[in-house]
């Protein structure tokens, strides 16, 4: 029997109405084609360009849903042309269940129409953009002759941090420490393969790793008020790149480390809640990084000054990362058009899309 369903028009809209999907495989192909040093360098360029036009963006602190075992967050930002958001979690226990501590995806959309133009993985990409942001901040805040870095916390993001500082800032020695010796062994093996000219030292404690270091990067995962770095470990001229303290109740730096340093942040209202400065009084002075990059504020003022970048990650960084992914994918012919949004011949006839699909579906034969 013939179907009695109305025959909805099936004229498709232009390809611009499709959303491009980039998977983890696409990101791996981008890195394979361009090389990680080039991807890191381009990511840093995109980040700096967007930080320099900071006042053009509509910004807010991320929206966080906390539980006893982790956090799930949404991170939105937009300018007059494009809107983006990232979905991201942080669950330190996940490694015991065979899952990454951090998992993420993001969307880039056209402000003029609201059309989502890009849906992309951001788990791998977040590690790349976080490392690039760290290097960008250190370029402005660390001593120009900084060549030795201590890396405390040798988990999923540690390779990206070490390689960003090696390739972008010329760090030639990295000292490693983690309470998990297997994590350190994993990191050392990866660095030996990826950057054989980078000297790698395994250390028995945080104190040993930071002794004589020009830059100290802390990137630990435990959701606790920890004091990974203490005042006794500080040395004149040191730059501290605090990456792991990124939610309420999670810190890495002793309060007196912050008190002795000039402290720089991404988006102050968010960092006051989530960063290491959550331990400090509400009037504790900080400088937003964009002001340094735009020339509106001083960065490092002397060779002896101690500087801290209290990094929690901000939505503007994901906006820049999504722009880079889109541009690289276009250059390399990567990505898959997907029907995330119904493509309607008559934009007022949403129900007709269902009828058209029903009419197109083969009918089962009844015996």
């Amino acid at each position: 029997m013939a179907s009695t369903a109305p025959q909805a028009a099936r004229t498709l809209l232009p390809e611009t109405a499709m959303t491009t999907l980039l998977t983890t495989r696409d990101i791996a192909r981008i890195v394979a084609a361009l090389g990680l040093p080039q991807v890191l360098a381009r990511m840093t360029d995109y980040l700096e360009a967007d930080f320099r036009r900071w006042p053009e963006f509509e910004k807010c602190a991320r929206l966080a849903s906390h539980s006893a075992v982790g956090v799930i967050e949404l991170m939105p930002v937009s300018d007059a042309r494009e809107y983006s958001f990232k979905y991201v979690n942080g669950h330190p226990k996940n490694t015991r269940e065979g899952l990454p501590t951090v998992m993420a995806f993001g969307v880039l959309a056209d402000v003029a129409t609201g059309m989502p133009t890009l849906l992309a993985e951001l788990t791998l990409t977040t590690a790349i953009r976080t490392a690039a942001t760290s290097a960008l901040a250190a370029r402005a805040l660390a001593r120009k002759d900084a060549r030795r870095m201590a890396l405390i916390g040798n988990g999923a993001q540690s390779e990206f941090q070490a390689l960003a500082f090696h390739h972008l800032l010329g760090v030639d020695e990295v000292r490693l420490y983690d309470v998990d010796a297997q994590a350190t062994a994993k990191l050392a093996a990866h660095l030996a393969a990826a950057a054989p000219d980078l000297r790698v030292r395994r250390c028995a404690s945080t104190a040993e790793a930071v002794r004589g270091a020009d830059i100290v990067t802390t990137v630990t995962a435990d959701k606790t008020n920890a004091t990974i770095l203490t005042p006794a470990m500080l040395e004149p001229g040191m730059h501290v790149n605090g990456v792991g303290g990124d939610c309420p109740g999670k810190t890495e730096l002793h309060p007196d480390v912050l008190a002795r340093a000039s402290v720089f942040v991404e988006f102050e209202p968010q960092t006051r809640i989530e960063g290491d400065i959550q331990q400090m009084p509400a009037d504790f002075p900080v400088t937003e990084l964009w002001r340094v990059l735009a020339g509106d504020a001083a960065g490092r003022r002397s060779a002896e000054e101690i500087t801290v970048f209290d990094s929690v990650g901000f939505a503007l960084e994901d906006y820049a990362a999504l722009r880079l992914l889109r541009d690289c994918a276009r250059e390399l012919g990567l990505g898959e058009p997907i029907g995330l949004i119904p493509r309607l011949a008559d934009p007022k006839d949403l129900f007709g899309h269902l009828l058209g699909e029903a009419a197109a579906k083969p009918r089962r034969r009844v015996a």
Side-chain angles (χ1 to χ4, degrees):
M1 179 183 292
S3 171
T4 58
Q7 293 296 313
R10 298 183 58 79
T11 303
L12 297 181
L13 297 182
E15 287 301 319
T16 53
M18 296 292 279
T19 305
T20 299
L21 172 66
L22 295 179
T23 67
T24 55
R25 189 177 184 185
D26 292 311
I27 307 312
R29 286 175 170 176
I30 289 171
V31 174
L34 302 179
L36 184 59
Q38 178 66 14
V39 172
L40 286 165
R42 289 185 65 174
M43 183 74 78
T44 304
D45 291 342
Y46 275 59
L47 287 164
E48 183 166 9
D50 286 336
F51 269 113
R52 285 178 176 271
R53 58 189 190 93
W54 180 271
E56 298 178 22
F57 288 91
E58 182 178 346
K59 302 171 287 290
C60 68
R62 58 183 150 211
L63 309 175
S65 177
H66 295 276
S67 70
V69 295
V71 62
I72 296 174
E73 300 168 332
L74 289 177
M75 301 172 63
V77 72
S78 67
D79 63 6
R81 297 183 298 277
E82 292 180 295
Y83 170 95
S84 77
F85 76 82
K86 180 171 76 173
Y87 167 98
V88 62
N89 78 301
H91 287 70
K93 71 175 183 62
N94 273 7
T95 54
R96 299 194 297 270
E97 301 177 15
L99 292 171
T101 297
V102 175
M103 296 176 282
F105 68 88
V107 168
L108 196 62
D110 176 40
V111 166
T113 64
M115 178 68 196
T117 57
L118 182 71
L119 172 61
E121 88 80 43
L122 285 182
T123 307
L124 286 165
T125 305
T126 290
I128 296 171
R129 73 84 159 138
T130 301
T133 303
S134 295
L136 177 63
R139 194 162 65 192
L141 302 174
R143 298 194 324 268
K144 300 306 179 187
D145 62 349
R147 295 294 180 269
R148 293 167 296 184
M149 182 170 81
L151 186 49
I152 313 302
N154 301 162
Q157 294 204 35
S158 57
E159 286 89 351
F160 299 90
Q161 291 284 330
L163 293 171
F165 279 82
H166 175 56
H167 291 304
L168 303 181
L169 271 76
V171 164
D172 57 21
E173 178 180 311
V174 61
R175 293 122 177 241
L176 313 181
Y177 176 69
D178 194 298
V179 293
D180 180 358
Q182 290 184 337
T184 301
K186 174 268 303 180
L187 173 58
H190 284 166
L191 293 180
D197 56 334
L198 176 63
R199 295 192 303 275
V200 177
R201 282 182 47 192
R202 301 191 204 186
C203 299
S205 67
T206 298
E208 179 186 345
V210 305
R211 192 175 302 121
D214 305 311
I215 297 169
V216 175
T217 291
T218 56
V219 59
T220 60
D222 285 344
K223 189 179 178 182
T224 58
N225 286 122
T227 52
I228 306 298
L229 194 67
T230 63
M233 300 177 190
L234 294 177
E235 297 180 9
M238 187 176 279
H239 172 64
V240 178
N241 178 40
V243 179
D246 58 0
C247 68
K250 182 183 178 187
T251 61
E252 296 181 310
L253 310 180
H254 189 285
D256 288 344
V257 169
L258 300 167
R260 288 180 55 182
S262 298
V263 179
F264 300 82
V265 301
E266 289 138 318
F267 183 50
E268 182 177 348
Q270 179 174 297
T271 311
R272 292 280 180 190
I273 298 169
E274 300 177 351
D276 273 277
I277 61 170
Q278 67 186 266
Q279 309 170 84
M280 308 305 284
D283 60 351
F284 178 74
V286 298
T287 302
E288 290 184 330
L289 179 63
W290 76 269
R291 298 186 59 216
V292 179
L293 299 175
D296 292 342
R300 170 173 292 274
R301 291 166 293 189
S302 73
E304 294 74 30
E305 183 180 19
I306 296 170
T307 54
V308 170
F309 180 44
D310 187 3
S311 175
V312 300
F314 184 57
L316 180 63
E317 296 154 21
D318 302 306
Y319 174 97
L322 287 165
R323 289 200 305 112
L324 175 63
L325 292 183
R326 177 193 61 198
D327 294 350
C328 289
R330 287 175 177 172
E331 293 169 15
L332 298 171
L334 298 174
E336 176 187 354
I338 58 171
L340 187 64
I341 304 300
R343 300 172 68 198
L344 306 174
D346 179 358
K348 296 181 180 180
D349 186 12
L350 182 60
F351 190 74
H353 184 74
L354 297 181
L355 298 179
E357 291 300 317
K361 182 178 179 180
R363 292 177 60 82
R364 291 184 179 179
R365 297 186 63 182
V366 179

